[in-house]
Amino acid sequence: MHVIKVCVGCSCVMNFGVENVKKAEEVLGIKAGETSADGQFKLEAVGCIGNCESAPNVMFLRPEGPLAAVMVDGHIEKNVLPNRFGKMLKELKNKDA
């Protein structure tokens, strides 16, 4: 499962954070707070993730274990505008297909 956390803190909201949530919802076919029917993607709109100087930010996590307490391949993408974010999500979906 891929957990995608889109920052909607102040700096990100002022720099396309809400648009990134909408783009993810469009590409993944789910709303923020939902998991895709195939269980491959979970989308979360979250408060500040601590990279305000490079807003808007998106965090990609790959939880492992029954409680998802350990994150593997987790990284933060900086300066992610909606068009680039859509392309990133499509590539991730195709990679897992």
Side-chain angles (χ1 to χ4, degrees), residues 28-78:
L28 299 175
I30 57 176
K31 297 286 185 189
E34 295 180 346
T35 301
S36 61
D38 62 4
Q40 290 299 307
F41 295 93
K42 181 176 183 178
L43 177 62
E44 298 178 357
V46 299
C48 184
I49 58 177
N51 281 317
C52 300
E53 71 280 356
S54 59
N57 297 293
V58 177
M59 184 182 294
F60 291 87
L61 302 170
R62 191 147 185 142
E64 185 177 271
L67 299 178
V70 178
M71 300 297 173
V72 179
D73 295 335
H75 65 280
I76 295 174
E77 287 290 329
K78 302 174 183 177

